[in-house]
Amino acid sequence: YIKTLMQRNSLLKDLIRHSELYDTLDIWDDRLSVLGGRIVRQRVLYIRNLDPYLKKIYDGISSSREEITAEYQSSFGSGSDDEAENASALRKNLYDTREEDIKNGTTGSGPHRDDIAISLSGLNTRIYASQGQKRSCAVALKLSEAELTGCMTGTPPVILLDDVMSELDPLRRDYILNHIENRQVFLTCCEPEEILAKTSAEVFRMKEGKICTFI
């Protein structure tokens, strides 16, 4: 998909000087649509499988105060598990926005422009969520990805959490610290005493990029 996208973008830039190449856009649009439709289908299925883990983990982090929702946000109006439906929608969108794409010299729609919309109790987190809520969503997403990956591969992945405790209230911190057992987790933070008090984890102290002591 990326290779095809780069070829189309290169053609869009060349069309300003070589209008005779205009008809070749159909070739790249068809190829990009087929590949894009396949990518979107896999993403939609992945989010669908991720959803129950995400809801369960966030419900625990927030003490059931908020409900999280993850939805695929398509840049061309189709986020379906039907590959052909996605391809058809993307092909039409690419055709309808050709002149704009030529003007900008880049492809303005497709999986490379898509996103995941995260909501808490129906409100968009990008607009309405606090920093603590956004951090909680990010942690919940990573932990749910780890759960799903473990189920898919049969091997729990190593989890790396970098300074996730800042901006979280005590209840959210407590949940995270006590629900990451039975797997290998590396957690960085600036409050080692709190980690020691609430878990049986080994604590390593770092200085100038080197492990100087461990408890």
Side-chain angles (χ1 to χ4, degrees):
Y1 178 86
I2 295 299
K3 289 180 180 178
T4 305
L5 178 65
M6 291 174 64
Q7 291 284 355
R8 186 179 192 270
N9 286 343
S10 179
L11 175 60
L12 290 172
K13 294 179 176 66
D14 289 343
L15 284 175
I16 298 177
R17 299 184 304 275
H18 301 283
S19 58
E20 69 275 9
L21 298 175
Y22 189 89
D23 289 342
T24 62
L25 263 177
D26 290 335
I27 299 171
W28 298 112
D29 286 4
D30 287 345
R31 181 64 176 162
L32 200 69
S33 298
V34 171
L35 296 171
R38 193 179 306 165
I39 291 172
V40 172
R41 178 180 184 275
Q42 292 300 322
R43 287 178 174 177
V44 169
L45 292 175
Y46 182 81
I47 293 174
R48 187 177 298 169
N49 291 328
L50 187 73
D51 189 63
Y53 298 103
L54 181 61
K55 281 182 164 55
K56 178 181 178 181
I57 291 172
Y58 192 86
D59 188 61
I61 292 176
S62 68
S63 300
S64 303
R65 287 177 291 181
E66 302 140 359
E67 182 180 0
I68 192 170
T69 304
E71 294 181 342
Y72 192 78
Q73 199 168 47
S74 172
S75 59
F76 56 94
S78 180
S80 169
D81 60 3
D82 187 316
E83 190 174 312
E85 181 181 323
N86 295 328
S88 177
L90 179 54
R91 187 178 293 106
K92 181 179 186 305
N93 186 274
L94 291 172
Y95 181 82
D96 291 342
T97 59
R98 274 186 179 182
E99 297 308 316
E100 184 178 351
D101 284 354
I102 293 172
K103 179 181 177 181
N104 295 330
T106 189
T107 304
S109 58
H112 62 290
R113 298 285 189 180
D114 293 354
D115 206 344
I116 299 176
I118 304 295
S119 301
L120 291 179
S121 301
L123 299 177
N124 190 313
T125 55
R126 291 191 177 186
I127 301 173
Y128 299 103
S130 66
Q131 289 302 314
Q133 288 173 319
K134 290 178 180 178
R135 182 65 62 91
S136 298
C137 289
V139 173
L141 277 168
K142 290 303 179 185
L143 293 180
S144 57
E145 283 185 85
E147 291 285 350
L148 180 56
T149 301
C151 289
M152 293 171 64
T153 65
T155 303
V158 175
I159 299 175
L160 309 177
L161 299 176
D162 183 22
D163 193 26
V164 298
M165 296 303 165
S166 62
E167 299 172 350
L168 296 181
D169 60 47
L171 284 175
R172 293 173 191 258
R173 292 185 182 189
D174 184 69
Y175 179 87
I176 293 172
L177 289 174
N178 290 284
H179 288 79
I180 54 176
E181 69 278 359
N182 301 322
R183 68 197 73 192
Q184 189 173 18
V185 180
F186 290 90
L187 172 66
T188 66
C189 70
C190 299
E191 304 89 8
E193 289 76 15
E194 181 175 359
I195 302 296
L196 283 172
K198 295 187 177 181
T199 72
S200 58
E202 292 186 18
V203 178
F204 298 83
R205 297 185 185 277
M206 304 290 294
K207 184 177 182 180
E208 297 178 355
K210 296 181 180 179
I211 298 175
C212 54
T213 60
F214 75 92
I215 303 173

